[in-house]
Amino acid sequence: MTSRWRPVRALLACALATAGLALAAPGSPAQADPAGVTRTLDWENPADRTVPPPGFYKQSCCGTTSTRIVSDVKRDGGYAARFELNKTDAAVSNGKRSELTQPDSQPANAERWYGFSIYLPSSWVYDQSPEIVSQWHQCDASRCGGGSPPLALKTEKGHWKLDMPLRSQTVDLDAYSTGTWTDWVFHVKWSTGSSGQLEVWRNGVYKFGFTGSRTHADTQGSPYFKFGIYKWDWNSGSTHPSDTTQRVMYYDALRLGDERATFADVDPARSGGGPCNRVQPVVSASASTYEDINPPQYAVDGSLSTRWSGYGFGAYLTVDLGAQRSVCGAGVAWHRGDVRWNDYTIYTSVDGVSYTKAWEGRSSGTTLQAEVTTFPARPARYVRYAWWNNAEANGWASITEATALSA
Ligand SMILES: [Ca+2]
Ligand SMILES: [Ca+2]
């Protein structure tokens, strides 16, 4: 506690404490958070609709022009945060930025989960110049905030990119979409040695990761989290060209988790803010039994003209989502589903060993299209569809397409 920046942040902590607020105060979301979620910032708690919200501080020049709470664009509930940065804005902390930040570094070797959703409006035009939209920043021996962040999510030339300067690595995470929310989950085991780990998911799909190397170089602790817009090419003195003069983006469904958290705990899709209609990618399908010409993978090939068929009461199909998701529903399209009903049960599992019932019922018998059933969201990697009987009592379970859904 001898470095120059520590006393400043101690004062900040003191000021927050005086206001009756703890630095890491948990929010009061409508739904109780799992134990591993240490902070929810979805702006649904009225106490969080201040700028900055409790437990964060702001780095922006211009009041509500830079950062404000809005209700017209949101990932969940009724509110989200809007960030605006103009090329003419005054510099803050030596740069052009409109950000909210954790006030403190995290303990050394911390394991952390970060879930958040970003909305880039249609005004987020192509720019040859990049900007960081979420970053993890270190404190060095002399101050908190110096140097390049060891991990940053940015947009550049129409793409999402992940910057990891310590690894001399930039990962292209595909073209971004505007006019829609993009969900992110980051899982990091912070390490200055060889035990670091990173996992990144976008919209519930695993995109990138590594294990066994350092994730940062901060000898005083693990990096802290910042979000908003930082565009260094607009700093005075920069000679880098930029194609635009204003950036506006929205942020919602932020959840910070510790080592007890899981993907599903911080996944923005767990918010329940949207309808349960997002089909989750399947990496493989298996079944308790099947006839050779109708194997289980035919139930996940996207075609209603191919199917899995298995014989017998209790025959079941299982799909593997490849990673834990927040699953709130399932869609099942039945072979001859327009002329006969089917009785079936949907189970989910996080480990592929222990399954719990999520829904049970009968299909309509009036459609060949997928029939959707929903249930309270639950973490799951595996979804099982167990068949009992159909209107023809012929002993055959025949599913043309099976899906798992998230909000
Ligand atoms: Ca919200
Ligand atoms: Ca099929």
Side-chain angles (χ1 to χ4, degrees), residues 41-44 74-81 251-253:
L41 185 58
D42 57 9
W43 290 277
E44 303 312 311
K74 62 264 183 182
R75 172 66 177 88
D76 61 13
Y79 301 89
Y251 215 93
D252 204 357

Side-chain angles (χ1 to χ4, degrees), residues 111-181:
E111 178 178 356
R112 292 289 182 264
W113 288 86
Y114 312 82
F116 51 87
S117 196
I118 294 175
Y119 183 95
L120 304 177
S122 57
S123 63
W124 197 272
V125 296
Y126 177 97
D127 191 357
Q128 61 187 302
S129 158
E131 50 274 304
I132 285 174
V133 292
S134 298
Q135 58 170 303
W136 291 261
H137 213 285
Q138 71 285 339
C139 299
D140 62 27
S142 61
R143 67 196 179 105
C144 197
S148 295
L151 179 63
L153 176 65
K154 66 181 186 180
T155 64
E156 181 179 24
K157 297 184 171 73
H159 281 232
W160 297 109
K161 292 185 181 178
L162 203 58
D163 254 358
M164 293 162 288
L166 293 176
R167 296 168 62 87
S168 301
Q169 189 174 17
T170 295
V171 178
D172 189 329
L173 294 175
D174 312 323
Y176 60 66
S177 297
T178 60
T180 187
W181 286 94

Side-chain angles (χ1 to χ4, degrees), residues 284-290 296-297 308 316-320 355 384:
S284 67
S286 59
S288 61
T289 176
Y290 64 93
Q297 60 266 31
W308 160 71
Y316 61 78
L317 172 78
T318 306
V319 301
D320 178 0
Y355 283 81
R384 176 167 290 174

